[in-house]
Amino acid sequence: GAVVSQHPSWVICKSGTSVKIECRSLDFQATTMFWYRQFPKQSLMLMATSNEGSKATYEQGVEKDKFLINHASLTLSTLTVTSAHPEDSSFYICSAYLGDWNQETQYFGPGTRLLVL
Amino acid sequence: KQEVTQIPAALSVPEGENLVLNCSFTDSAIYNLQWFRQDPGKGLTSLLLIQSSQREQTSGRLNASLDKSSGRSTLYIAASQPGDSATYLCAVNDYKLSFGAGTTVTVRA
């Protein structure tokens, strides 16, 4: 149980285009999902917290107008990278809590690799 | 702001040797700490979760300890195997997860 999927697994796009990444909890409902970014040889950095039915909470330094997050249902959160540029190329990973956030682990998706040319 | 540090950054050992991976964090007001494994280009696999009230957790060849007061956790992997080669990340949970940069382990056959 507790499977999180992401789609697509990788995407290549031209500079200036927008890219949407989906994160789904397959067998549980997730009120809260998280989006992380990982640059090569670096650790995961939390970008934003996505709450179902409300606006996402962005970490300091993350442009909310560039990284649009929508959590329209209890099983789906989407991250849209708007007007992508080469510096946005990264590995994007989502996660979701199952159960109480202070007791349970986060379950992570397999990640989406974005390459902006 | 929580800062998580992992030492060493990389480790190479012969098969069969025990592995010791260290993680330190600056703010001891945490709910739990997790150790993850990440294979190249892949997502995260949760290995062990230690609640703040616990001192250690064990799963098979893996044992993780937690000393919250000193802000330290150690992951022990006994009798390492080539399949243990991966990057190991620790993350502390104070509602949000803060990750260390990881220790990249290579186990030589």
Side-chain angles (χ1 to χ4, degrees):
Chain A
V3 178
V4 176
S5 70
Q6 282 184 240
H7 178 80
S9 57
W10 59 271
V11 57
I12 301 173
C13 69
K14 293 182 179 180
S15 184
T17 61
S18 295
V19 175
K20 179 185 285 188
I21 302 170
E22 293 185 347
C23 176
R24 292 182 185 273
S25 56
L26 297 185
D27 48 4
F28 66 100
Q29 293 182 330
T31 306
T32 303
M33 291 183 173
F34 300 86
W35 286 95
Y36 297 85
R37 179 169 53 185
Q38 185 179 35
F39 291 108
K41 303 294 185 183
Q42 296 186 27
S43 190
L44 278 76
M45 297 299 294
L46 179 65
M47 298 175 66
T49 302
S50 171
N51 296 297
E52 188 267 338
S54 63
K55 291 183 177 180
T57 302
Y58 291 82
E59 294 300 301
Q60 191 173 10
V62 177
E63 300 175 58
K64 62 181 181 181
D65 294 330
K66 182 169 186 62
F67 298 99
L68 301 179
I69 291 173
N70 184 281
H71 195 154
S73 76
L74 288 172
T75 59
L76 174 64
S77 176
T78 60
L79 168 67
T80 301
V81 183
T82 62
S83 186
H85 292 286
E87 58 265 30
D88 298 323
S89 298
S90 187
F91 192 51
Y92 293 87
I93 304 179
C94 71
S95 71
Y97 271 122
L98 171 62
D100 296 330
W101 58 267
N102 63 339
Q103 295 294 322
E104 299 292 337
T105 185
Q106 284 188 25
Y107 291 89
F108 285 80
T112 296
R113 189 162 300 281
L114 170 63
L115 177 61
V116 184
L117 303 177
Chain B
K1 179 186 174 186
Q2 184 75 261
E3 300 286 344
V4 182
T5 304
Q6 290 188 246
I7 295 173
L11 189 58
S12 178
V13 299
E15 183 177 3
E17 195 164 299
N18 296 332
L19 292 164
V20 180
L21 310 179
N22 298 297
C23 172
S24 61
F25 48 95
T26 54
D27 188 345
S28 61
I30 66 171
Y31 294 101
N32 54 54
L33 181 146
Q34 276 184 265
W35 283 93
F36 294 88
R37 169 183 173 139
Q38 185 176 31
D39 293 293
K42 304 293 185 182
L44 303 182
T45 300
S46 179
L47 298 175
L48 289 168
L49 171 72
I50 312 176
Q51 299 294 348
S52 62
S53 59
Q54 296 176 320
R55 298 282 295 180
E56 66 177 331
Q57 276 284 355
T58 298
S59 176
R61 294 184 294 111
L62 276 60
N63 174 275
S65 66
L66 174 64
D67 184 343
K68 198 174 73 165
S69 61
S70 66
R72 296 178 186 276
S73 177
T74 302
L75 177 66
Y76 302 89
I77 303 177
S80 61
Q81 304 168 358
D84 295 329
S85 298
T87 296
Y88 293 83
L89 300 169
C90 77
V92 296
N93 181 7
D94 51 12
Y95 177 63
K96 298 183 291 188
L97 284 184
S98 297
F99 284 83
T103 295
T104 299
V105 171
T106 302
V107 180
R108 308 185 303 271

